[in-house]
Amino acid sequence: MRLTEFWRRMYEHFGEVYAESFASDHVMSELGGRTVRQALDAGWEAKDVWRVVCDTQGVSTLLR
């Protein structure tokens, strides 16, 4: 998954403003105690981060 697709899905699920806030502020134990942005910056694959977001935030099956 490319980062552009990752962010498109984030914006579609959360809305653009909240997606940015969620990605920067919400620490997730499933990402090793990191935020979405920190996990991506640390080298996590976008598809793996997206799976964690889907599993923990009730993302619609249409966006998975």
Side-chain angles (χ1 to χ4, degrees), residues 6-28:
F6 172 84
W7 286 111
R8 184 192 67 75
R9 292 179 188 195
M10 286 285 288
Y11 295 156
E12 192 168 337
H13 178 71
F14 292 107
E16 192 165 339
V17 173
Y18 186 65
E20 294 289 340
S21 176
F22 179 86
S24 297
D25 300 332
H26 189 79
V27 175
M28 303 176 75

